[in-house]
Amino acid sequence: MESDEARAAIDMFLSAFNAPDEVSVVDRLSRALSPEITFWGPWGRSEGVEAVGAFVLDLRRHSGGEGTMKRCSDVDAPGEWARYQWRYAAADDRAALSGTDVVRIQEGRIAEMIVFAGDLPALSADTAHSA
């Protein structure tokens, strides 16, 4: 798989969060996601573009106000899998949430997605393991 193909699908997915209206959200998700998408998000597993659309629309209606989603790393795409980092910021550009997604690209669309929100806690010196 070309990393350009992964980047295009990922960027189309992220653009759905910034779409001007709900119709555009659904349109962008339909272009970015496989119809059989499996989405592992913060609240569990969902399947299908409609379920992912509900997640995106819920986030857009967040009590902190509508924000902006941005990819804040390059796309690392070994084979059919890719990962990238993202940031969702409130209207005043305060970071509301950030994380890393891992996606599987199939036929130019995201077929599986795992969303990791937030940073991983660092290991303390006494719990770190050496290889």
Side-chain angles (χ1 to χ4, degrees), residues 40-42 84 86 98-102 114-120:
W40 292 91
Y84 61 95
W86 51 267
S98 62
T100 301
D101 289 355
V102 176
I114 304 169
V115 175
F116 294 95
D119 295 326
L120 287 171

Side-chain angles (χ1 to χ4, degrees), residues 25-36:
V25 169
V26 173
D27 176 61
R28 292 174 190 201
L29 291 175
S30 295
R31 290 189 278 156
L33 307 175
S34 165
E36 299 83 28

Side-chain angles (χ1 to χ4, degrees), residues 23-83:
V23 171
S24 297
V25 169
V26 173
D27 176 61
R28 292 174 190 201
L29 291 175
S30 295
R31 290 189 278 156
L33 307 175
S34 165
E36 299 83 28
I37 177 84
T38 301
F39 179 83
W40 292 91
W43 298 281
R45 176 184 169 148
S46 344
E47 296 191 16
V49 175
E50 188 174 307
V52 178
F55 169 78
V56 171
L57 292 171
D58 283 348
L59 186 58
R60 286 169 50 106
R61 295 182 193 115
H62 187 271
S63 62
E66 203 166 300
T68 303
M69 177 68 80
K70 297 178 184 178
R71 180 168 51 87
C72 55
S73 74
D74 199 359
V75 173
D76 180 22
E80 65 186 290
W81 290 93
R83 67 179 174 154

